[in-house]
Amino acid sequence: MKKIVYIIAATFLLISCKDVKVETPIEEKSGLTIVSRNQFKTMAMEVGTPTEQDFDVAVKTSGRIDVPPQNRAKITSFIGGYVKSTNLLVGNKVVKGQALLTMENTEFLDIQKDYLEVAEQITYLKSEFERQKTLYEEKITSQKNYLKAESDYRRAKGMYQSLRAKLVLLNINPRNVENGKLTSVVTIFSPISGDIVIMNANVGMYIAASDVILEIVDTSHLHLELAVFEKDILKIKVDQIIKFTVPEASKEVFDAEVHLVGKSIEGNDRTINVHGHLDDAIKQKLLTGMFVEAQIITDSKKGLAIPKEALITENQKYFVFLLDKEDAKEFSFKKIAVEKGASSNDFVEIIENEQINKSSKLLLKGVFDITN
């Protein structure tokens, strides 16, 4: 019984093997790529002629994401001191007028003491000046006494105003000083709203007057700063569309618009600055200082186009598959070198030559299957 079962199973196996058709691989003969009709259908290949498409004419350039000068603030102290307190980190958001940190120095006390002394003298010196002026006008006192009183008062008044301005710069209220409330601690406030991008302060650290304590950037006004070469600058006009990428961070293509074009050539590389405005929707995806590669659209043109997937790239050269022959069994394709022109989202321009023209039959779909 077992032998009968084995015989029947073997018979079915032989019959099923006869029904299996083994597809032959794509062949290459005499420089031609041969594709059978069955392979052509199975791989959903498609042959067609190039079409005429509109392509952008663009100037290639590069640059970076930046903000206007008024949206970037480097915080320094007018007089050096030791950091007493701060709780901010890089990335924190601050608003205009917000306390950033406090600093301590006995020199702050010296300025207030000098101011207080002059403030106390100024009333007396003013009164003496006015008295001497009256006496001089009535010819009771000499001109020398009058001029000395005037000089003393004006010198004290200049010192008073100078010290008062220093107190204001240090955010110390002069009225408090005049009331005898002196302090060795000053508070530094934010001049703009934005994000902290640099933080150089630690508690107890000495900060010199020339040191940058921290830097704040208001990213609500991000823009493009591009460098366009002299040979291309006459093509650039205000309101032209800019398409750019951030190659180190993303392959996404962003849109911008030419807002300002520089009026002078800068540097040894002979470039002109072009300022581009960004769409508000993409500002949240970008950071100041990012390097960008951009194309400024200056014109449009018609060109011979094929789908991007129909173009092959090998060793920095470009090729297409040209239909050489077609019969009932197979298709024969010849790999032809072409020159690549402009490109759009879906199409790429190929420059017409002796072998490729608008009537040429090319493999438009399935190229990946052949090459791999």
Side-chain angles (χ1 to χ4, degrees), residues 42-79:
T42 302
M43 297 179 181
M45 292 181 177
E46 184 179 313
V47 170
T49 57
T51 58
E52 190 176 63
Q53 298 283 339
D54 289 321
F55 289 100
D56 292 328
V57 177
V59 170
K60 292 185 178 181
T61 181
S62 61
R64 63 192 178 96
I65 305 294
D66 205 351
V67 294
Q70 65 269 25
N71 292 91
R72 183 187 296 273
K74 293 186 177 182
I75 310 302
T76 60
S77 172
F78 297 101
I79 298 175

Side-chain angles (χ1 to χ4, degrees), residues 77-360:
S77 172
F78 297 101
I79 298 175
Y82 293 91
V83 178
K84 183 175 178 62
S85 66
T86 183
N87 57 0
L88 298 173
L89 298 171
V90 171
N92 283 151
K93 290 185 177 295
V94 296
V95 296
K96 184 176 181 178
Q98 178 180 332
L100 300 176
L101 73 160
T102 59
M103 293 179 64
E104 189 171 29
N105 193 340
T106 56
E107 191 173 345
F108 304 148
L109 290 172
D110 294 337
I111 295 172
Q112 295 167 82
K113 179 176 68 67
D114 293 341
Y115 172 78
L116 188 58
E117 290 176 356
V118 174
E120 291 175 348
Q121 293 176 5
I122 198 77
T123 302
Y124 165 74
L125 291 173
K126 181 180 180 181
S127 175
E128 179 64 16
F129 163 63
E130 290 175 348
R131 188 178 76 86
Q132 289 292 334
K133 182 179 180 182
T134 302
L135 292 174
Y136 174 69
E137 289 173 349
E138 295 176 355
K139 301 187 184 303
I140 298 174
T141 188
S142 65
Q143 185 182 28
K144 179 180 178 181
N145 290 338
Y146 163 64
L147 293 176
K148 184 178 185 305
E150 182 184 29
S151 175
D152 290 344
Y153 170 63
R154 294 191 183 282
R155 184 168 59 251
K157 185 178 180 181
M159 182 67 71
Y160 172 83
Q161 291 175 339
S162 173
L163 290 170
R164 185 181 179 86
K166 281 187 178 181
L167 293 179
V168 173
L169 288 174
L170 291 170
N171 299 311
I172 297 175
N173 190 333
R175 183 167 295 181
N176 290 340
V177 177
E178 293 174 14
N179 292 331
K181 298 178 181 178
L182 278 62
T183 179
S184 63
V185 178
V186 298
T187 303
I188 295 178
F189 299 93
S190 176
I192 63 172
S193 299
D195 303 293
I196 296 178
V197 295
I198 295 176
M199 185 68 182
N200 295 325
N202 297 317
V203 174
M205 179 181 180
Y206 179 79
I207 301 292
S210 59
D211 293 341
V212 175
I213 304 173
L214 53 88
E215 185 173 343
I216 301 170
V217 172
D218 179 3
T219 57
S220 62
H221 294 281
L222 286 178
H223 66 259
L224 284 180
E225 284 293 340
L226 303 175
V228 176
F229 287 107
E230 182 181 5
K231 65 182 179 65
D232 296 320
I233 195 59
L234 294 180
K235 304 173 186 175
I236 309 301
K237 301 289 185 293
V238 173
D239 294 334
Q240 288 175 337
I241 300 299
I242 303 172
K243 294 188 177 295
F244 70 95
T245 60
V246 184
E248 297 299 323
S250 171
K251 293 182 179 179
E252 186 175 355
V253 179
F254 301 103
D255 290 331
E257 188 177 89
V258 175
H259 182 65
L260 294 172
V261 180
K263 302 301 181 183
S264 64
I265 298 172
E266 305 292 342
N268 296 328
D269 52 359
R270 308 288 295 174
T271 59
I272 296 176
N273 289 334
V274 172
H275 176 104
H277 270 190
L278 302 173
D279 292 335
D280 290 336
I282 67 173
K283 288 181 180 178
Q284 299 301 319
K285 300 180 181 180
L286 304 172
L287 301 173
T288 56
M290 279 182 161
F291 173 78
V292 302
E293 292 180 347
Q295 292 188 353
I296 303 175
I297 310 303
T298 59
D299 203 351
S300 63
K301 66 173 183 178
K302 299 284 187 181
L304 208 60
I306 59 173
K308 284 186 173 180
E309 62 189 81
L311 189 69
I312 311 163
T313 305
E314 293 180 359
N315 300 321
Q316 298 182 340
K317 293 183 179 180
Y318 302 101
F319 300 89
V320 294
F321 281 111
L322 174 66
L323 181 64
D324 183 71
K325 188 176 65 174
E326 174 187 358
D327 56 32
K329 293 183 178 181
E330 60 191 21
F331 296 85
S332 300
F333 295 98
K334 186 177 183 180
K335 189 160 71 171
I336 303 295
V338 293
E339 183 181 349
K340 177 185 173 184
S343 62
S344 62
N345 291 337
D346 301 313
F347 292 91
V348 61
E349 179 190 14
I350 54 172
I351 308 303
E352 192 171 343
N353 57 34
E354 294 180 357
Q355 295 175 291
I356 303 296
N357 54 54
K358 62 183 179 180
S359 301
S360 301

